[in-house]
Amino acid sequence: MQSKWECEDRSLPLVIEPQHSSDELGSLTDLRLLEEDDEEVVSDFQSSLSMSSKLFIFHAADFLVEPEVIIVPHSSLYKVPFAALREKEGQFLSETRRIRVVPSLMTLKLIQDSPVDYHSRTDALIVGDPKVDWVMFKGYFQHIASLPCARKEAKMVGRLVGVKPLLGEQATKRAVLEKITSVSLIHFAAHGDAERGEIALSPIRTPDSPDIAPQEEDYLLTMAEISQVQVRAKLVVLSCCHSGSGQIKAEGVIGIARAFLGSGARSVLVALWAISDTATEQLMQRFYEHLVGGESTSESLHQAMKWMRNNGYTKVCEWAPFMLIGDDVTFDFGNKDPSLESQRN
């Protein structure tokens, strides 16, 4: 199978205010580098991967004896796609190891020590292609386009886990907040803010004021709002461009992913850059097939990446955008389909 780069762009518009410094502008525009089919950009990216492999993997090779590697990055190292780093023999680290990232060892201990009955064991919240349309975003009147590939992805995930997804106008901020505290799995396929990963949902438009543009508080699911609720999900999947983004501090990236972990989620799957629709749909399908089959999140991601590399999606930007942060969890969806095993092979 030959892969094709397609991106309907699940990013909210990048609004750059005049008062930003040149350094800040650089950090913002870097978030979109992998959306460009530019030889110089690709070459720089490959050079960075090679240097990171030498710095972080080659020196630790003698200690990598377990099938899973847990990485505690410092500061901006959260931006490194560790799955795409290579071992001395030339293999990608993700070919031989499952990979997880944790904010700190203390965070991992707190997650693992949480009460057995704290996290939900049933039900899922699947959100795809919220109808955002014309809204006010960062002081500007913006049109947020529909995402047909994200809708297709949400339908696929819903079918595999046996849950009807919230799509289009149904995917309102109110509906999401009503359910987000009671489910075991959360999946968003939607527009994300390239600066902090916050998610655009469908605003509720009333017949009395159809021409008034919704404000951010009407549709944007923010870090603050996630921090104010108790999330009991084992896994949150943020299938949005740049969902791993946030403000870089000593303790890592402070964005929507960290907000979910801080509110009780055991693990979060995030995208490090703008994602290809075709590749993402394939990766998510393989990931959920393994997850529904009883394998852990870490192993499911490992197998999904392996399938991608072996089936035509050989570019790093296609198979390695997603990073698992937090614990390694399993699910019992109660609807395992024997046909999934044949689909994986």
Side-chain angles (χ1 to χ4, degrees), residues 285-344:
Q285 181 167 345
R286 310 306 159 182
F287 172 75
Y288 276 102
E289 285 174 359
H290 285 276
L291 199 65
V292 170
E295 295 174 8
S296 72
T297 49
S298 180
E299 178 66 18
S300 296
L301 183 60
H302 174 72
Q303 292 297 333
M305 288 183 177
K306 177 182 177 181
W307 185 94
M308 296 287 285
R309 289 190 298 265
N310 293 337
N311 287 272
Y313 296 91
T314 56
K315 295 180 180 179
V316 168
C317 59
E318 295 173 317
W319 63 262
F322 286 94
M323 179 171 68
L324 181 64
I325 306 175
D327 201 6
D328 191 19
V329 300
T330 58
F331 290 85
D332 181 6
F333 292 103
N335 61 338
K336 297 176 184 177
D337 186 344
S339 66
L340 293 180
E341 186 62 35
S342 63
Q343 293 176 27
R344 285 201 290 264

Side-chain angles (χ1 to χ4, degrees), residues 26 45 52 79 116 180 315 336:
F45 181 61
S52 296
K79 297 286 186 179
V116 176
I180 204 169
K315 295 180 180 179
K336 297 176 184 177

